[in-house]
Amino acid sequence: SRSSIIGTVPQVPSGARAAASLVHLDLSDLRISGTLPSSLCRLRALQVLKINGGAFFGDLPPCIYQLPSIRILITFFTNVGGTLPVELSDSLELLLLAESMICTVLSPSTRE
């Protein structure tokens, strides 16, 4: 069932205690729209980020891929885009980018 949450993703304030301890953020199937703020990168303990459905647009902040604790990053059925960086967090175990606008640039060694 769809959530009754409506609006945009708020900025994460610097120094917020919740930012230091939030480990799971699921933005799936919410009636939330807009861009994803780069302040999400203040969620240094974040291990799981799911962005499925919704009316998101714009680029996924590149720093999300570098979060030190991120283990699972899932985005599908969104208009979220951007370029997948060459360097990903060492903690990343699952990266699912289905039906989204995120692309990657292949290095010469991966083209062969």
Side-chain angles (χ1 to χ4, degrees):
S1 72
R2 293 184 67 90
S3 171
S4 60
I5 298 173
I6 300 172
T8 60
V9 177
Q11 293 287 329
V12 177
S14 61
R17 287 188 183 178
S21 60
L22 184 68
V23 295
H24 188 117
L25 181 58
D26 189 345
L27 301 173
S28 302
D29 299 320
L30 301 175
R31 291 185 284 176
I32 296 178
S33 62
T35 60
L36 296 165
S38 61
S39 64
L40 287 176
C41 297
R42 293 185 182 139
L43 303 174
R44 306 297 289 167
L46 191 66
Q47 295 179 17
V48 178
L49 176 60
K50 295 180 183 177
I51 308 166
N52 307 333
F56 296 111
F57 58 87
D59 291 351
L60 184 65
C63 52
I64 294 291
Y65 302 104
Q66 309 294 326
L67 287 171
S69 299
I70 194 78
R71 293 183 315 104
I72 299 171
L73 176 56
I74 299 173
T75 174
F76 60 91
F77 299 118
T78 71
N79 289 321
V80 172
T83 302
L84 186 66
V86 175
E87 295 293 323
L88 301 173
S89 175
D90 290 337
S91 63
L92 192 61
E93 297 171 7
L94 175 64
L95 176 63
L96 177 59
L97 307 172
E99 302 290 329
S100 67
M101 306 299 289
I102 297 173
C103 62
T104 185
V105 176
L106 297 176
S107 68
S109 63
T110 58
R111 292 181 193 165
E112 297 174 357

